[in-house]
């Protein structure tokens, strides 16, 4: 490929979209304008020559009627435009019968063929002796003769030439207008894209997703007028809203995690510093500090693991399998009984054949979090009722219940109700349970149970 071709290809690749759209729109309108002008030129040219042919035909008919018995030779020698009779002459098929006087119009072999009937009448353009253009009709005269009739065509040629110049000027003006219209169309049509690009560049520079693209207003009282670019801008605004929520949630998670980690890390440091001076402590003090350090390490480990789990958006698809909930629920309840010996767990399995596509370990974590939460708030000896029915799993305790003001926030990360401040936990268990539920297509909701206590309902997806 030559350097010129490479330069042209590179220029075409790097042309802005507005330039390409302007050129495409201008080329389309210019092509139409030039096509219309060309069609108009050929129509005008055809009509002018068609009218001249009609005049020649009328002149020939009149000459035949007025000179039925005339011999070969010139009938009329004054050739004017739209005159009758026009230049006219009779030519015999046999050249030996030609008159002594020279013919006014050119005689050729096709003229003799028309006289004998071997050729159809025809029109042709000629130049007269005085240099003027003319149009000639050769037609049979009868008696082995042909009739030639001519009319000057300079006026027709001037009309065709004037039409050509006029339509060329109109076509040029159409091309310029097309260029202007193409630029206007590209500028107007790409204005939303320009705003979208500006917003995207501003967000990339400032890392602030709170900006939105201004959508075109609709009619008063009516919806926003939508087209492809408007829908793109609306989709981009929706994406920015989701991004803003994600960034806000991430910042809140980091802030809450740092706040929750501050207390156990401070206690860890205190106990570690205390054990560093173990020679000054009694054996009982060392055992107490060592036990506290171990508990705090476990709390921090659980908290970090919970944060890692919450950072996962969805379960990995390759690990999904059809999980039978009844055996999984029974196993998880048995583990809860061992962990909470003072709390009786009542299990009711109305539909033991329920299955759910998912990850068994994650579903077990969801159920375990619900059971731990119910046992934590249940008074000693109060039962925790667990039921698996068609389409739902419920966990109900008989504790103090959920305050009306706390219901909208029980699944928020690190949220802890007033009565839960003194209880162990990080406030991540229910948030993690809801996230696992949604990752499996289910929905977890909290309610105030009739007669007291809290009720958590896991609505399973319809198979």
């Amino acid at each position: 490929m030559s350097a010129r071709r490479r330069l042209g290809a590179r220029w075409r690749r790097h042309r802005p979209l507005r330039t390409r759209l302007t050129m495409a729109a201008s080329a389309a309108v210019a092509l139409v304008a030039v096509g219309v002008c060309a069609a108009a030129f050929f129509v005008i040219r055809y009509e002018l020559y068609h009218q001249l042919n009609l005049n020649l035909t009328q002149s020939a008919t009149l000459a035949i009627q007025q000179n039925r018995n005339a011999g070969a030779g010139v009938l009329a020698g004054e050739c004017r435009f739209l005159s009758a009779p026009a230049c006219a002459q009779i030519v015999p098929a046999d050249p030996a019968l030609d008159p002594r006087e020279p013919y006014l119009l050119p005689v050729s072999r096709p003229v003799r063929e028309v006289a004998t009937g071997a050729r159809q009448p025809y029109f042709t353009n000629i130049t007269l002796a005085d240099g003027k253009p003319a149009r000639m009709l050769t037609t049979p005269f009868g008696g082995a003769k042909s009739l030639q009739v001519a009319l000057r065509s300079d006026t027709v040629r001037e009309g065709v030439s004037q039409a050509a110049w006029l339509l060329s000027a109109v076509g040029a003006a159409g091309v310029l207008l097309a260029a202007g219209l193409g630029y206007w169309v590209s500028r107007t049509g790409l204005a939303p894209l320009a705003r979208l690009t500006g917003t995207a560049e501003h967000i990339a520079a400032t890392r602030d997703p709170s900006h939105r693209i201004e959508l075109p207003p609709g009619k008063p009282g009516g919806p926003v007028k939508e087209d492809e670019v408007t829908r793109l801008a609306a989709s981009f605004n929706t994406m920015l809203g989701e991004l803003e929520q994600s960034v806000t949630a991430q910042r809140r998670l980091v802030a809450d995690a740092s706040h929750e980690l501050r207390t156990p890390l401070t206690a860890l440091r205190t106990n570690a510093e205390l054990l560093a001076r173990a020679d000054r402590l009694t054996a009982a003090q060392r055992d107490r500090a060592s036990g506290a350090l171990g508990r705090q390490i476990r709390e921090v480990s659980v908290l970090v693991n919970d944060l890692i789990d919450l950072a996962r958006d969805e379960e990995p698809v390759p690990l999904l399998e059809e999980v039978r909930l009844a055996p999984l629920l029974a196993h998880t309840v048995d583990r809860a009984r061992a962990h909470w010996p003072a709390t009786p767990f009542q299990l009711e399995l109305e539909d033991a054949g329920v299955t759910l596509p998912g990850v068994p370990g994650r579903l077990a974590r969801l159920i375990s979090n619900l059971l731990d939460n119910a046992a934590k708030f249940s008074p000693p000896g109060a039962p925790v009722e667990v039921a698996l029915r068609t389409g739902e799993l419920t966990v109900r305790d008989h504790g103090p219940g959920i305050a009306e003001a706390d219901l909208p926030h029980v699944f928020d990360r690190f949220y802890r109700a007033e009565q839960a401040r003194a209880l162990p936990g990080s406030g991540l268990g229910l948030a993690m349970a809801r996230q696992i539920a949604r990752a499996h297509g289910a929905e977890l909701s909290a309610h105030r149970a009739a007669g007291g206590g809290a009720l958590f309902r896991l609505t399973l997806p319809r198979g």
Side-chain angles (χ1 to χ4, degrees), residues 421-435:
R421 299 290 172 84
L423 297 176
S426 61
L428 294 176
L430 292 179
M432 186 184 307
R434 169 170 275 191
Q435 177 172 300

Side-chain angles (χ1 to χ4, degrees), residues 212-375:
R212 298 292 183 272
I213 300 173
E214 183 180 355
L215 299 178
K219 295 181 179 179
V224 175
K225 184 179 180 181
E226 288 192 359
D227 53 18
E228 288 77 5
V229 178
T230 304
R231 289 200 299 271
L232 175 61
S235 300
F236 192 76
N237 282 343
T238 303
M239 183 188 68
L240 288 177
E242 296 293 335
L243 178 62
E244 184 179 10
Q245 291 180 4
S246 176
V247 171
T248 302
Q250 182 183 20
R251 291 174 178 173
R252 186 172 62 248
L253 176 63
V254 172
D256 292 340
S258 62
H259 175 75
E260 292 294 329
L261 285 170
R262 186 178 294 114
T263 300
L265 288 178
T266 301
L268 279 173
R269 184 174 58 193
T270 301
N271 287 312
E273 292 175 353
L274 186 62
L275 287 174
R277 299 191 296 271
D279 55 339
R280 303 179 186 179
L281 302 177
T282 64
Q285 289 175 332
R286 284 196 301 270
D287 292 341
R288 202 162 42 246
S290 177
L293 184 62
R295 288 193 304 272
Q296 289 156 1
I297 290 176
R298 285 193 297 271
E299 289 179 5
V300 172
S301 299
V302 171
L303 179 59
V304 171
N305 289 333
D306 289 346
L307 289 173
I308 293 174
D309 289 336
L310 283 172
R312 295 164 55 176
D313 292 333
E314 57 183 12
E315 307 305 322
V317 176
L319 298 180
L320 294 181
E321 60 181 86
E322 286 293 331
V323 181
R324 295 183 59 205
L325 291 183
L328 180 67
L329 183 59
H331 176 70
T332 309
V333 169
D334 290 340
R335 290 176 54 189
R337 286 171 179 156
H339 190 261
W340 302 91
T343 302
F345 289 88
Q346 299 177 359
L347 179 59
E348 179 183 354
L349 300 176
E350 289 188 6
D351 189 354
V354 177
T355 61
L356 177 66
V359 183
R362 302 291 291 163
L363 291 173
R365 182 68 178 275
L366 184 158
I367 298 171
S368 177
N369 285 359
L370 294 179
L371 297 179
D372 290 344
N373 181 78

Side-chain angles (χ1 to χ4, degrees), residues 5 14 20 43 46 81 84 89 115 131 150 155 200 206 211 215 229 254 349 365 401 430 459:
R5 288 186 177 181
H14 295 286
R20 297 199 301 269
V43 168
Y46 171 79
F81 184 69
Q89 63 186 23
T155 306
T206 62
H211 292 270
L215 299 178
V229 178
V254 172
L349 300 176
R365 182 68 178 275
L430 292 179
T459 303

Side-chain angles (χ1 to χ4, degrees), residues 5-293:
R5 288 186 177 181
R6 288 197 299 270
L7 182 61
R10 190 181 302 113
W11 181 78
R12 285 192 297 271
R13 285 197 304 269
H14 295 286
R15 277 182 296 182
L17 177 60
R18 177 176 295 177
T19 302
R20 297 199 301 269
L21 184 58
T22 299
M23 294 179 64
S26 302
V29 178
L31 185 62
V32 171
V34 172
V36 169
C37 290
F41 169 76
F42 286 110
V43 168
I44 292 173
R45 182 177 180 277
Y46 171 79
E47 289 297 331
L48 290 177
Y49 277 101
H50 180 66
Q51 185 63 41
L52 183 57
N53 293 340
L54 289 178
N55 292 336
L56 283 170
T57 303
Q58 292 175 358
S59 297
T61 302
L62 182 60
I64 292 173
Q65 291 175 354
Q66 294 177 350
N67 303 276
R68 290 185 182 275
N69 299 319
V74 177
L75 297 179
E78 186 178 2
C79 195
R80 293 175 297 178
F81 184 69
L82 296 180
S83 63
C87 297
Q89 63 186 23
I90 299 174
V91 179
D94 187 0
L97 301 178
D98 287 343
R100 294 182 179 179
E101 294 81 5
Y103 288 114
L104 181 64
L105 302 175
V107 177
S108 59
R109 181 178 179 181
V111 178
R112 311 283 185 182
E113 292 176 352
V114 172
T116 60
R119 184 184 179 94
Q120 296 294 323
Y122 65 92
F123 295 93
T124 184
N125 295 319
I126 63 173
T127 302
L128 299 175
D130 57 0
K132 300 294 184 182
R135 189 160 178 84
M136 182 177 67
L137 168 63
T138 302
T139 185
F141 183 79
K145 303 184 195 68
S146 63
L147 174 66
Q148 290 180 289
V149 181
L151 287 174
R152 282 178 52 181
S153 61
D154 48 351
T155 306
V156 173
R157 289 193 177 185
E158 289 177 2
V160 172
S161 178
Q162 291 176 358
W165 282 104
L166 179 61
L167 291 175
S168 298
V170 172
V175 171
L176 294 177
L177 180 62
L181 289 176
Y183 177 77
W184 178 81
V185 167
S186 64
R187 183 179 180 86
T188 304
L190 296 179
L193 288 180
R195 292 195 296 269
L196 188 150
T197 303
T199 302
E201 291 175 348
H202 179 80
I203 293 173
T206 62
R207 297 187 177 183
D208 182 10
S210 62
H211 292 270
R212 298 292 183 272
I213 300 173
E214 183 180 355
L215 299 178
K219 295 181 179 179
V224 175
K225 184 179 180 181
E226 288 192 359
D227 53 18
E228 288 77 5
V229 178
T230 304
R231 289 200 299 271
L232 175 61
S235 300
F236 192 76
N237 282 343
T238 303
M239 183 188 68
L240 288 177
E242 296 293 335
L243 178 62
E244 184 179 10
Q245 291 180 4
S246 176
V247 171
T248 302
Q250 182 183 20
R251 291 174 178 173
R252 186 172 62 248
L253 176 63
V254 172
D256 292 340
S258 62
H259 175 75
E260 292 294 329
L261 285 170
R262 186 178 294 114
T263 300
L265 288 178
T266 301
L268 279 173
R269 184 174 58 193
T270 301
N271 287 312
E273 292 175 353
L274 186 62
L275 287 174
R277 299 191 296 271
D279 55 339
R280 303 179 186 179
L281 302 177
T282 64
Q285 289 175 332
R286 284 196 301 270
D287 292 341
R288 202 162 42 246
S290 177
L293 184 62

